[in-house]
Amino acid sequence: MTTPFASHLRIAGVGGVHLRGLWLTCLTPYAVELAGVGAADWLGVDLQHGDLTAEELSPLLRVSPVPVLARLAGHDPSHIARVLDTGVDGIIVPAVESADQAMALVSASNPPPVGARSTGVSRAGVLGNPQPLLLPMVETASGLAALEEIAGVAGIDGIFVGPYDLALSLGEPSVVAPAVVTAIESVITTAHRHERIAGVFAGNTELAARLPAAELVAVDTDLAALRAGIRHLFGPGQS
Ligand code: 3PY
Ligand code: MG
């Protein structure tokens, strides 16, 4: 892909792509360089859960063969600025529950006059990266209730669904429970109606296969892929 990822998705728009990602929770840059992760279309680096930290982003970005989106630890503007300074292709922000929160993220992600993000020497600045994708997550009943207003906020690129927190918040037993799948589909439809791209963390191939309309689908995690690879070699074993 010659066009930068964020620009590519903005140009392709709704329905223009269906890109399958691998969600990183533990792989080091060494493994990212050598384990063949380029078979995925993109990587999601999880800074909220798992074992990776914001300090590991720059080394990961230097070796990743595919675009990298970072799932943030929270909404703190200084965390957002540090992560954007690394030159990631986009940020995925957990548990956004109102238009006000989404507007605060737009402000934290953009320098004046759009927002209040500070500028300084950074990898993103020196490399001249384009504006990364801003993808608020809808993953609670409150977020779902505010979906229409969140999707309408100027400056966001899309909505990303967190089905595991959503299932918990809705009191449903699994991410493939009918009420959760219906909620995910309604997020995709609403995002598209607002000309926003839709992303979903599937975390399993069964759910991933049911989401052809989403532009971004995180199929599963690096840990799940490692476990599957080890089982493939040795069988189920003790755990
Ligand atoms: C969720 O499903 O809640 C997520 O945040 C994906 O990691
Ligand atoms: Mg979540």
Side-chain angles (χ1 to χ4, degrees):
M1 186 183 305
T2 46
T3 316
F5 190 64
S7 314
H8 176 66
L9 262 79
R10 289 190 186 110
I11 293 163
V14 168
V17 289
H18 177 70
L19 301 172
R20 301 165 78 243
L22 176 67
W23 200 253
L24 299 193
T25 67
C26 62
L27 287 191
T28 60
Y30 178 80
V32 167
E33 184 179 24
L34 300 176
V37 301
D41 296 317
W42 57 279
L43 300 178
V45 177
D46 195 346
L47 303 177
Q48 183 185 27
H49 299 293
D51 200 41
L52 298 171
T53 64
E55 289 66 41
E56 283 157 298
L57 266 178
S58 291
L60 277 169
L61 284 160
R62 273 185 226 117
V63 297
S64 177
V66 290
V68 173
L69 306 178
R71 194 266 287 277
L72 302 186
H75 297 197
D76 177 6
S78 61
H79 174 59
I80 293 175
R82 292 297 285 187
V83 170
L84 290 176
D85 276 357
T86 64
V88 285
D89 295 281
I91 54 173
I92 299 171
V93 191
V96 176
E97 300 189 311
S98 68
D100 282 351
Q101 285 183 350
M103 283 189 270
L105 299 176
V106 174
S107 174
S109 307
N110 289 279
V114 175
R117 179 179 163 203
S118 166
T119 188
V121 175
S122 70
R123 184 172 180 275
V126 171
L127 296 181
N129 287 14
Q131 182 63 23
L133 297 172
L134 173 55
L135 304 170
M137 290 186 80
V138 165
E139 52 179 350
T140 60
S142 311
L144 211 49
L147 174 60
E148 199 67 46
E149 54 176 85
I150 295 170
V153 168
I156 69 158
D157 291 289
I159 304 280
F160 202 95
V161 190
Y164 289 82
D165 276 316
L166 189 58
L168 281 178
S169 180
L170 297 177
E172 294 293 333
S174 108
V175 293
V176 287
V180 180
V181 175
T182 303
I184 296 170
E185 286 167 353
S186 80
V187 176
I188 296 173
T189 309
T190 306
H192 287 173
R193 193 164 14 85
H194 285 267
E195 302 285 314
R196 312 291 188 212
I197 59 173
V200 186
F201 174 88
N204 67 77
T205 46
E206 182 193 341
L207 181 58
R210 294 169 71 169
L211 303 167
E215 284 73 26
L216 297 169
V217 174
V219 176
D220 214 331
T221 64
D222 52 1
L223 199 54
L226 278 170
R227 290 173 71 92
I230 292 167
R231 276 172 169 243
H232 177 70
L233 289 174
F234 299 106
Q238 319 262 327
S239 61

